[in-house]
Amino acid sequence: MKKQAEVRNDSLVYPGSYVPLMDDALASKKMRGIIPEKISFPLVNIIELNDSYKMEVAIPGTRREYIRISVDNDIITISLVDEDSKHPIKNSFLMHEFEYTCFKTQIKLPEFADPEFISAEYKTGILYMYIPKSSEKITVQHKRIIVY
Amino acid sequence: METSTLVNRKENLAPSLFNDFFKPWDEWFDNGVWLKSINTPSVNIIESNNHFTVTLAAPGLKKNDFKIEVEGNILTVSSETEKEEEEKDANYTRKEYSYSAFSRSLSLPDDVNKDKVEATYQDGILKIELPRLHEKKIDNKKYIPVK
């Protein structure tokens, strides 16, 4: 299978259930067609704990496979491409205040954070991320974080 | 007009007059930056032939936290969860939402069957199905076959 060989290293998920994640090229292609004004930004809470930062991104009604997180230097990028979401006919909305099908948001990490060991988990509509603190400045070139 | 009766946002007290007079500026308000408080979850309402679907984006709660009431023509969704100790003195460096206590009311149209309202909570979305008493045809289009 030629297709298999093309699967990039960072598009693999954890063992257990094999769900191929969207690779960078495909995701950016999907993002390109979206009108910027239509993108809603998710709400974010950041809590400082003793040894880490806890980030809570509210993305209700999606699945962990659609969430992509990557770290470049000290910028953390969270994007969502939900392809399967059913789009009801636009004018059947009597009230339309939220839509979480596609977004991209970037957050700057605190100075003394360790991007190498960020863990991410999607639970009850919230993406929880734990960013450990570090004693010195750590920078990573590019790192993909898998959501569990 | 169902649209106006079903929509009843508590915090949106600014009348429509506002929209007309401050056209370019009201977008700020529409975006919810000013008027929308951080603990009011967003609502979508979708109308279809035989029911209304109300979805409320309130992530991070449990299904038992919600209290849904229908009193007269008013549907009220509220939640009041005991904040954990950890939460209270948490050191927030950024706080954009908190849905632990809220209340939102919507006035229902007359043709909702109030006895058959059902609600489910999944992935942070509370979905309330309100069946209609009489099926309504939304599609006003008339299709004419070509002979």
Side-chain angles (χ1 to χ4, degrees):
Chain A
M1 291 266 283
K2 194 166 172 276
K3 200 99 195 186
Q4 282 294 341
E6 278 172 6
V7 173
R8 291 163 57 132
N9 211 21
D10 63 353
S11 63
L12 294 172
V13 267
Y14 74 112
S17 68
Y18 177 73
V19 186
L21 294 180
M22 206 178 276
D23 62 84
D24 289 333
L26 185 62
S28 57
K29 196 176 144 202
K30 299 262 180 213
M31 299 292 279
R32 220 169 287 148
I34 281 112
I35 309 148
E37 294 90 66
K38 289 266 166 89
I39 299 177
S40 60
F41 291 99
L43 299 175
V44 182
N45 283 352
I46 303 172
I47 303 151
E48 188 175 350
L49 304 172
N50 286 335
D51 51 358
S52 63
Y53 293 94
K54 183 186 179 190
M55 206 190 271
E56 304 171 340
V57 188
I59 319 170
T62 189
R63 290 162 66 178
R64 63 165 188 88
E65 294 97 88
Y66 301 137
I67 305 166
R68 301 163 39 79
I69 309 169
S70 62
V71 184
D72 296 274
N73 298 317
D74 60 345
I75 305 286
I76 186 159
T77 307
I78 305 158
S79 55
L80 174 82
V81 180
D82 185 348
E83 284 186 297
D84 297 351
S85 74
K86 290 173 231 101
H87 283 280
I89 315 145
K90 268 281 173 260
N91 52 24
S92 68
F93 276 103
L94 296 180
M95 194 162 176
H96 196 177
E97 291 180 353
F98 71 89
E99 188 165 330
Y100 293 93
T101 50
C102 188
F103 67 76
K104 184 174 182 176
T105 185
Q106 292 186 310
I107 294 162
K108 197 173 184 293
L109 286 172
E111 197 176 358
F112 293 106
D114 186 354
E116 202 64 57
F117 294 99
I118 296 176
S119 66
E121 179 191 20
Y122 182 69
K123 209 167 63 183
T124 61
I126 294 181
L127 172 70
Y128 294 94
M129 272 192 282
Y130 291 91
I131 307 151
K133 286 182 186 172
S134 70
S135 48
E136 69 231 43
K137 211 173 167 169
I138 301 167
T139 47
V140 286
Q141 282 301 316
H142 178 83
K143 191 177 157 43
R144 179 85 187 268
I145 291 148
I146 306 294
V147 183
Y148 290 97
Chain B
M1 290 282 284
E2 272 120 16
T3 324
S4 53
T5 52
L6 206 58
V7 176
N8 178 21
R9 291 190 62 175
K10 260 189 182 166
E11 69 279 8
N12 209 346
L13 291 171
S16 57
L17 177 128
F18 224 68
N19 300 341
D20 301 331
F21 279 112
F22 305 95
K23 201 58 202 167
W25 311 105
D26 68 337
E27 282 167 16
W28 288 28
F29 295 92
D30 279 354
N31 290 343
V33 182
W34 301 94
L35 283 177
K36 208 178 154 198
S37 77
I38 64 160
N39 46 26
T40 311
S42 305
V43 172
N44 280 355
I45 302 167
I46 298 161
E47 181 186 20
S48 63
N49 289 349
N50 41 24
H51 58 270
F52 294 97
T53 309
V54 176
T55 48
L56 187 108
L61 297 174
K62 296 184 203 76
K63 65 174 184 184
N64 298 332
D65 295 338
F66 292 101
K67 205 170 113 195
I68 305 166
E69 295 171 322
V70 181
E71 201 184 339
N73 259 357
I74 309 285
L75 171 81
T76 306
V77 183
S78 60
S79 157
E80 202 143 335
T81 50
E82 293 282 317
K83 276 194 180 172
E84 292 160 37
E85 278 304 307
E86 178 204 9
E87 193 86 343
K88 262 180 194 162
D89 31 66
N91 189 2
Y92 278 94
T93 54
R94 178 164 169 170
K95 190 171 186 179
E96 293 180 347
Y97 68 91
S98 165
Y99 299 135
S100 55
F102 68 87
S103 172
R104 265 198 95 155
S105 301
L106 303 160
S107 62
L108 300 173
D110 290 334
D111 69 335
V112 165
N113 188 347
K114 286 161 199 123
D115 300 324
K116 286 195 178 151
V117 179
E118 277 178 21
T120 50
Y121 184 63
Q122 202 197 357
D123 289 333
I125 295 216
L126 179 73
K127 188 174 176 187
I128 307 169
E129 295 273 4
L130 306 146
R132 296 185 114 137
L133 287 173
H134 314 287
E135 189 161 313
K136 186 192 165 192
K137 250 193 149 202
I138 293 175
D139 195 0
N140 291 328
K141 279 182 208 148
K142 217 173 173 179
Y143 296 96
I144 292 130
V146 180
K147 282 174 194 165

